[in-house]
Amino acid sequence: MRITQTTLQKMHENHEKFAALTCYDAIFANILENAGVEVLLVGDSLGNVLHGDNTTLSVTLDDMIYHTRCVARGSSKAFIMTDMPFGSYQASPEQAFQNASRIMAAGAHMVKIEGGKIMADTVEFLARRGIPVCAHIGLTPQSVHQLGGYKLQGNSEKSAKQLLNDAKILEKAGASLLVMEVVPAKLAKEITRALAIPTIGIGAGVNCSAQVLVLHDMLGLFQGKKPRFVKDFMVGANNIQEAVANYVVAVKTGQFPGQEHEF
Ligand code: KIV
């Protein structure tokens, strides 16, 4: 049976953690969901890991539609969530709806958009018109140049307050899920407690409703320095299936992320 937004909400209410990973093609969709991953995120991180770019800014709507179709063809169980790429939703709620509807038609069950309270009108516009939305706050890679790099967010009293406020506003606007990226674990815990919807952390500590990692990162396929919040699950595994299954168990039992992965 297909995992739905309702399944994820119920898991959250039952304090049952769920596992998400990025996924960009059919074969991995099949491997990940058979290993127990509940959410396949067709992330615009494909700009980094597939295209070799330094940022996600050059990823296009057609790229996201193409990879959503690939993932949808390989999946029969998981919940599929797709990133709206940079420039495809920020101009107006109407622009967001036109582009989100194409992503949904390609097989996504939810779209993800980056940004705080500035995106509340867009979240509301989409949600009221039948498009479920995951909001994404904290380190929002599409704003990397405005943030001055890929760095910890919400680490001052003022910015932590602002993120908590953003999260509440986005939930009120109709967001069904909230991704928090690279924020202090204490803040992510506070935000998770303040909301009724599930939160998905990446570099946000263990007290989120779920965890997500970039697939290539957790398979040890990265160039340069490993980010603090990443764990290479290929270490100690015999193959990719086993590594992913170990990740799922580690997320569900609260063994990942450990203190060494949080801020
Ligand atoms: O694109 C992506 O991989 C993401 C995750 C980092 C959450 O948005």
Side-chain angles (χ1 to χ4, degrees):
M1 228 173 51
R2 179 71 79 175
I3 291 166
T4 66
Q5 187 191 317
T6 315
T7 323
L8 301 175
Q9 182 65 36
K10 279 198 181 133
M11 288 178 80
H12 170 60
E13 284 164 15
N14 293 334
H15 305 287
E16 207 184 316
K17 288 178 187 284
F18 56 88
L21 281 175
T22 65
C23 185
Y24 317 105
D25 62 34
I27 187 85
F28 269 109
N30 186 261
I31 290 171
L32 302 193
E33 66 178 24
N34 283 328
V37 174
E38 280 97 351
V39 179
L40 305 178
L41 169 61
V42 187
D44 61 354
S45 51
L46 65 84
N48 306 108
V49 294
L50 303 188
H51 300 171
D53 285 333
N54 288 329
T55 73
T56 56
L57 300 181
S58 61
V59 175
T60 65
L61 181 64
D62 285 342
D63 290 332
M64 298 313 295
I65 289 170
Y66 170 80
H67 287 282
T68 299
R69 266 206 200 102
C70 296
V71 169
R73 285 194 193 113
S75 161
S76 62
K77 295 189 279 213
F79 186 74
I80 302 171
M81 177 158 92
T82 296
D83 266 329
M84 296 199 70
F86 179 64
S88 74
Y89 61 95
Q90 290 92 344
S92 67
E94 288 79 6
Q95 180 211 27
F97 183 82
Q98 269 174 6
N99 293 328
S101 59
R102 292 186 60 202
I103 291 174
M104 298 298 282
H109 305 134
M110 180 178 279
V111 295
K112 177 162 83 58
I113 65 177
E114 297 184 5
K117 68 172 183 225
I118 185 82
M119 297 316 301
D121 287 351
T122 298
V123 169
E124 187 173 354
F125 194 89
L126 295 180
R128 280 174 170 247
R129 285 160 181 77
I131 300 185
V133 184
C134 174
H136 180 159
I137 61 170
L139 172 51
T140 45
Q142 291 175 12
S143 307
V144 61
H145 298 306
Q146 196 178 39
L147 298 176
Y150 296 103
K151 53 190 184 194
L152 182 65
Q153 303 297 310
N155 51 342
S156 70
E157 207 178 311
K158 187 171 165 219
S159 63
K161 232 180 178 174
Q162 193 185 320
L163 284 178
L164 175 60
N165 193 38
D166 283 348
K168 287 180 181 169
I169 289 172
L170 290 162
E171 177 181 60
K172 197 157 174 238
S176 303
L177 292 174
L178 178 75
V179 164
M180 291 186 279
E181 181 166 353
V182 189
V183 298
K186 191 168 158 273
L187 173 63
K189 182 177 177 181
E190 190 185 348
I191 291 176
T192 300
R193 284 198 172 158
L195 304 184
I197 58 171
T199 60
I200 307 181
I202 173 164
V206 74
N207 288 299
C208 299
S209 323
Q211 297 292 327
V212 65
L213 281 177
V214 170
L215 175 65
H216 294 60
D217 287 349
M218 62 79 69
L219 295 177
L221 301 171
F222 46 80
Q223 290 164 328
K225 194 168 166 268
K226 182 164 71 66
R228 180 178 170 88
F229 57 85
V230 170
K231 178 172 174 183
D232 177 358
F233 282 86
M234 281 305 285
V235 175
N238 291 309
N239 52 47
I240 289 173
Q241 281 91 339
E242 199 177 307
V244 175
N246 290 345
Y247 166 73
V248 172
V249 170
V251 168
K252 287 182 177 293
T253 56
Q255 287 165 44
F256 176 80
Q259 277 183 356
E260 69 276 24
H261 303 116
E262 62 183 42
F263 302 94

